[in-house]
Amino acid sequence: MKRYISPDTIFVAAISFIAIGLQGRRLDLLEANASLQAHRNEPLEEDISGLTNKINTLRSRRKLQNEVVLDIKAMNKDNLMIKKSIESIEARMDAIEESSAREKVDRSLVDLPFQKVGDWWVADNTMFQFPKGIVIGKKNTHCEYGDAVLSVDYGWEGEAVNCPSGHGSVAFGLANQATGDFATVTGGKFNVASGFASVLMGGRLNEVTGDSSAVIGGELNKATGTYAAVLGGDNNEAAGWSTAVAGGGNNKAYGSYSVVTGGQNNNANGPSASVTGGDSNDAKGEKSSIVGGNKNIVEEEGSYSTIGGGHNNVAIEKYAIVTGDSIDKAFIERIETLEQHSPFTCDTSRCVSDKKTFKFTSDIRVKGKIHQNPDHTINIGN
């Protein structure tokens, strides 16, 4: 049986086929457009990818910077905490040091060998040792102080003037110097003790240069010999070994172990000689002595001789004794008698003969020395 198809159906079918064809074409165009669009978008995607990478890099850097900033802030915070910790430690250390110093001072005050009683500091009943020395009063800036020295210096016109420069030396008084080791000046003014272990006690312008020697008082006195001593007076000098001058003025003891006691202008020049008082006496002989008087002399030949006062007496022989002017007058009368009844002219020390020839009927005894004149002869015989 033959089937009948209406025109409307055919139209609809045709329209459908056309629509299906157009739809396919549209799809082709869309695919082509999509392919073209994809091809066009490839550089853009690359640019976007590069930008994205850059953005990511910048983000990473920013993140890193933020992290660094955070680390720096954390470090600053840590530094601030460290600084505060250090300040706290320093404050604690200062407090500890202050406390330690205070405790040390407290202990020192407790251990001090002094106690304050009113306005005075009173020492404990104990020994003190000062290896270098002690300066009481003013310090002499021009003095090279020795070791183990003692100086008491009130000063003069605001300046210190004493100087114990010798080791173990002592200087008191005004403008005194103890320059010798173990030397001592215990007073007076303008005195100098330069001898080793020398002593100067008071007076003015005195000087001790001899070792283990001493001057006690007086003015312008000198002890220049070893173990020498001057006791007072003025312008006296003990120059010999173990010599002494006691008082008087302008007296000198030059011979070893010699002594001058008082008077003025007296000299003890001989060894172990002595002059006691008087004026202008001179004991030259060994172990000779003059007791007072004026201008008496014991010559060097007159060892062990003595003159007891008087005026212008001379002892020229050994063991001689001259007592005042009586012996002196007798001696002069004897010389005058000899001159009147002999061919000799004599003075107090010698006799000179007349120009004559002498004949001696006996022996000639000569005491002392014979000084022969070459122009004359000496005949000795019967």
Side-chain angles (χ1 to χ4, degrees):
M1 183 172 131
K2 193 175 179 177
R3 183 177 287 187
Y4 173 75
I5 302 173
S6 67
D8 294 330
T9 302
I10 294 171
F11 178 77
V12 171
I15 293 300
S16 297
F17 281 115
I18 292 170
I20 291 170
L22 291 172
Q23 186 70 29
R25 181 64 179 169
R26 185 180 178 185
L27 289 173
D28 292 336
L29 289 172
L30 288 173
E31 289 179 357
N33 188 24
S35 177
L36 179 62
Q37 188 67 31
H39 180 71
R40 289 180 178 178
N41 288 338
E42 286 180 358
L44 181 60
E45 290 178 356
E46 291 178 357
D47 293 340
I48 292 171
S49 177
L51 290 172
T52 302
N53 291 333
K54 289 181 179 180
I55 290 170
N56 291 333
T57 301
L58 291 173
R59 286 177 177 175
S60 298
R61 290 180 179 178
R62 182 66 178 270
K63 182 178 180 181
L64 181 60
Q65 289 177 353
N66 291 334
E67 291 177 353
V68 170
V69 170
L70 291 175
D71 291 340
I72 292 174
K73 289 182 178 179
M75 291 176 63
N76 290 334
K77 185 177 180 180
D78 292 340
N79 289 337
L80 182 60
M81 294 178 64
I82 292 172
K83 183 178 179 181
K84 290 182 177 179
S85 298
I86 292 174
E87 292 176 350
S88 177
I89 292 172
E90 289 178 346
R92 291 176 61 188
M93 290 179 64
D94 291 341
I96 291 171
E97 290 179 356
E98 183 178 355
S99 176
S100 177
R102 186 165 51 252
E103 290 178 0
K104 185 176 181 181
V105 170
D106 292 340
R107 287 196 300 271
S108 299
L109 289 174
V110 171
D111 296 337
L112 278 177
F114 300 96
Q115 293 182 358
K116 192 170 185 182
V117 180
D119 294 334
W120 289 78
W121 281 96
V122 181
D124 293 344
N125 186 19
T126 185
M127 295 293 295
F128 294 84
Q129 181 178 0
F130 300 92
K132 184 61 180 177
I134 299 175
V135 175
I136 299 174
K138 296 184 180 297
K139 176 184 176 181
N140 190 342
T141 57
H142 303 290
C143 176
E144 294 184 5
Y145 291 92
D147 294 332
V149 299
L150 175 60
S151 175
V152 176
D153 196 339
Y154 181 75
W156 179 256
E157 295 183 351
E159 296 290 333
V161 286
N162 288 335
C163 182
S165 58
H167 299 313
S169 62
V170 175
F172 297 167
L174 172 64
N176 293 320
Q177 300 181 48
T179 61
D181 290 346
F182 309 104
T184 302
V185 181
T186 59
K189 57 184 179 180
F190 309 114
N191 297 310
V192 178
S194 59
F196 180 88
S198 57
V199 176
L200 208 159
M201 301 174 64
R204 173 178 176 270
L205 296 171
N206 296 314
E207 183 178 2
V208 182
T209 60
D211 293 344
S212 302
S213 296
V215 171
I216 301 176
E219 179 182 23
L220 295 170
N221 294 317
K222 296 181 180 180
T224 58
T226 303
Y227 307 121
V230 177
L231 285 73
D234 67 275
N235 202 33
N236 296 316
E237 182 177 1
W241 179 281
S242 296
T243 56
V245 176
N250 199 34
N251 295 316
K252 307 291 186 289
Y254 292 120
S256 58
Y257 305 102
S258 61
V259 177
V260 177
T261 306
Q264 60 183 0
N265 304 313
N266 295 315
N267 296 322
N269 291 314
S272 302
S274 67
V275 177
T276 304
D279 182 13
S280 302
N281 296 310
D282 193 351
K284 300 177 182 179
E286 181 182 359
K287 295 181 175 62
S288 62
S289 62
I290 299 175
V291 182
N294 174 250
K295 295 183 179 179
N296 296 312
I297 300 174
V298 177
E299 298 289 355
E300 293 182 8
E301 297 84 355
S303 55
Y304 304 96
S305 296
T306 300
I307 296 178
H311 175 70
N312 282 334
N313 293 307
V314 179
I316 60 175
E317 295 184 353
K318 202 172 185 179
Y319 306 109
I321 299 176
V322 179
T323 307
D325 290 336
S326 59
I327 298 298
D328 191 48
K329 291 179 180 178
F331 182 76
I332 293 173
E333 290 176 357
R334 182 182 175 187
I335 295 299
E336 291 176 348
T337 301
L338 288 174
E339 288 179 344
Q340 293 174 1
H341 300 89
S342 71
F344 297 96
T345 302
C346 299
D347 55 24
T348 57
S349 61
R350 64 176 180 171
C351 293
V352 179
S353 68
D354 295 341
K355 293 182 179 180
K356 295 181 181 180
T357 301
F358 294 87
K359 180 179 179 181
F360 298 92
T361 58
S362 184
D363 297 337
I364 297 177
R365 295 185 180 182
V366 178
K367 184 177 181 181
K369 298 179 181 180
I370 297 177
H371 301 281
Q372 183 177 351
N373 189 328
D375 296 332
H376 298 82
T377 60
I378 298 178
N379 295 322
I380 300 177
N382 296 325

